[in-house]
Amino acid sequence: MEGDELKDLDCQRTMDGWESSNNGSGKAILIPACCLKAKASQPELGSKSHSTVVSGWFSETQPSSDKSGKQVYFNNPMWPGEAHSLKVEKILFQEKSKYQEVLVFQSSAYGRVLVLDGILQLTEKDECAYQEMIAHLPLCSIESPKNVLVVGGGDGGVLREICRHSSVELIDICEIDQMVIDVSKKFFPELAMGFEDPRVCLHVGDAIEFLKQAPEGKYDAIIVDSSDPVGPAQELVEKPFFKNIGRALRPGGVLCNMAESMWLHTHLINDIIYICREIFKGSVHYAWSSVPTYPSGVIGFLLCSTEGPPVDFVHPINPIEKLRGALEFRRELKFYNTEIHEAAFALPSFVKREVAALH
């Protein structure tokens, strides 16, 4: 992000619901409003977290030390006051990459589990509810998508689902951490099978820089399977990032962006929708899915389209059931169908009240 852009954003932080901070590097960081309280109460944690397995249980908590040097544990600042735990049968992999700590373990209830920097990313049992929805909500909303970009998604699950669409000719994926890809291929072959498709072109690097260099109007759809907006991933929920996505999409092209839990982050959802309504002049919608092992048990998706041919996200124009071979490509669909697609856009009353940008 350029200096002038930072100044402009800092001046607008009250209106946009963001606050400027500094991580000691001299570079300003924007913190989602819904996370400020947790950050302020635990500043020593910064953006760092570590995989925590204590007495045979994994919890999304962060280790630190009190004044006496004794190790203590804090809840993750993205969801203060709660921690979901899974019983660990065996740790299969634990190592630090250049960017984060990577943990894989065998759980007693959800199969193998992937954790990055102490935050659960997926489990074998319920990954379908996330991977299938984030891929098919956008791709079933437009006719014959051909060029698709995946931001993040190093486990390969989103690729696996995109590959069900026979109209797709090119799938670019930009993942920053090679270790995530390697670990997924070794421990999660049912997800990593997505990398085997000849239409996939892998780019290992920074997606922010990749999008800056992407040709204007290249993609029919961009799917952002990103980390939670803490630390380096913060830039993935800022206005310049969404501007570059809008530029890289064709007229009437679509974005599907992971958009947190409506039970925990209505302020963050509101901020992101506010930004996207300024950039995407087609339509902006919020949808959600049930994922038992994610905080609060649900995850949201932001669906946006650029100005051009209108996109009706709620009623898929390209239903998966009518795509030849799509239901059973590589493996049978477990979660997504047209009824689930349409239902995903039905929002609880409290969300309609609290997310003003939806009005």
Side-chain angles (χ1 to χ4, degrees):
M1 185 183 300
E2 299 298 327
D4 289 341
E5 292 174 316
L6 278 171
K7 291 177 183 176
D8 290 342
L9 283 168
D10 189 52
C11 291
Q12 299 174 13
R13 67 191 184 199
T14 302
M15 180 180 67
D16 292 345
W18 302 81
E19 180 168 312
S20 181
S21 182
N22 192 295
N23 66 353
S25 65
K27 181 180 178 182
I29 296 175
L30 299 178
I31 302 173
C34 60
C35 303
L36 288 176
K37 184 176 180 181
K39 285 286 198 179
S41 63
Q42 300 166 27
E44 73 279 8
L45 296 179
S47 63
K48 296 180 180 179
S49 59
H50 301 275
S51 305
T52 306
V53 177
V54 179
S55 301
W57 288 81
F58 164 80
S59 294
E60 289 179 315
T61 56
Q62 300 180 329
S64 187
S65 300
D66 62 16
K67 293 181 179 179
S68 67
K70 180 181 178 182
Q71 190 171 53
V72 293
Y73 295 90
F74 295 94
N75 296 109
N76 190 289
M78 280 295 292
W79 36 91
E82 63 179 276
H84 186 195
S85 297
L86 294 178
K87 186 170 179 58
V88 178
E89 291 187 347
K90 184 180 181 181
I91 294 178
L92 303 173
F93 181 89
Q94 188 168 18
E95 192 172 319
K96 280 187 175 292
S97 75
K98 182 179 177 181
Y99 302 98
Q100 57 202 337
E101 184 182 76
V102 182
L103 168 70
V104 179
F105 66 86
Q106 181 71 37
S107 72
S108 60
Y110 286 88
R112 290 184 176 181
V113 180
L114 175 65
V115 179
L116 301 179
D117 271 351
I119 299 176
L120 189 149
Q121 303 296 308
L122 64 88
T123 78
E124 286 183 308
K125 184 173 184 178
D126 66 5
E127 55 87 7
C128 58
Y130 177 82
Q131 314 283 4
E132 293 178 14
M133 292 292 278
I134 199 172
H136 302 309
L137 285 173
L139 296 185
C140 289
S141 297
I142 55 176
E143 289 190 86
S144 303
K146 291 181 171 57
N147 297 322
V148 182
L149 169 65
V150 179
V151 173
D155 53 71
V158 176
L159 296 178
R160 180 194 68 201
E161 296 306 317
I162 296 172
C163 290
R164 294 182 189 272
H165 294 257
S166 58
S167 66
V168 172
E169 298 173 357
L170 170 70
I171 311 169
D172 280 330
I173 175 171
C174 189
E175 163 63 49
I176 198 168
D177 198 336
Q178 180 67 49
M179 183 181 287
V180 173
I181 298 169
D182 296 339
V183 165
S184 183
K185 288 179 178 180
K186 181 175 181 179
F187 296 103
F188 299 93
E190 284 227 340
L191 286 98
M193 66 171 67
F195 287 104
E196 300 169 4
D197 196 284
R199 294 171 288 178
V200 172
C201 184
L202 172 62
H203 308 266
V204 178
D206 185 348
I208 294 171
E209 294 303 317
F210 182 87
L211 274 165
K212 286 179 181 178
Q213 303 301 321
E216 184 174 350
K218 177 178 180 178
Y219 298 107
D220 300 289
I222 295 176
I223 298 171
V224 181
D225 178 16
S226 61
S227 302
D228 293 288
V230 176
Q234 179 63 47
E235 290 185 83
L236 301 184
V237 293
E238 293 173 358
K239 188 179 291 186
F241 178 68
F242 287 113
K243 280 185 176 179
N244 284 325
I245 287 177
R247 186 187 58 80
L249 286 169
R250 65 160 172 82
V254 297
L255 160 70
C256 186
N257 200 100
M258 188 279 285
E260 300 302 335
S261 166
M262 61 187 178
W263 290 105
L264 303 174
H265 301 123
T266 51
H267 290 88
L268 176 56
I269 294 165
N270 193 77
D271 291 337
I272 296 175
I273 293 176
Y274 179 86
I275 290 171
C276 287
R277 284 204 183 280
E278 289 187 356
I279 296 168
F280 297 94
K281 302 304 182 181
S283 59
V284 177
H285 285 269
Y286 186 81
W288 59 284
S289 179
S290 170
V291 185
T293 53
Y294 284 176
S296 82
V298 301
I299 194 69
F301 308 100
L302 190 62
L303 281 298
C304 308
S305 64
T306 58
E307 188 174 13
V311 177
D312 182 358
F313 285 114
V314 180
H315 305 100
I317 194 173
N318 191 28
I320 196 90
E321 293 86 357
K322 294 185 179 181
L323 301 181
R324 186 175 179 180
L327 297 180
E328 297 173 351
F329 182 81
R330 294 292 183 116
R331 76 167 201 175
E332 190 175 6
L333 273 173
K334 293 183 178 182
F335 190 88
Y336 177 87
N337 56 48
T338 295
E339 290 78 17
I340 287 287
H341 181 122
E342 295 177 349
F345 293 89
L347 299 178
S349 296
F350 80 90
V351 177
K352 293 181 179 180
R353 287 194 301 267
E354 294 182 23
V355 183
L358 286 171
H359 302 159

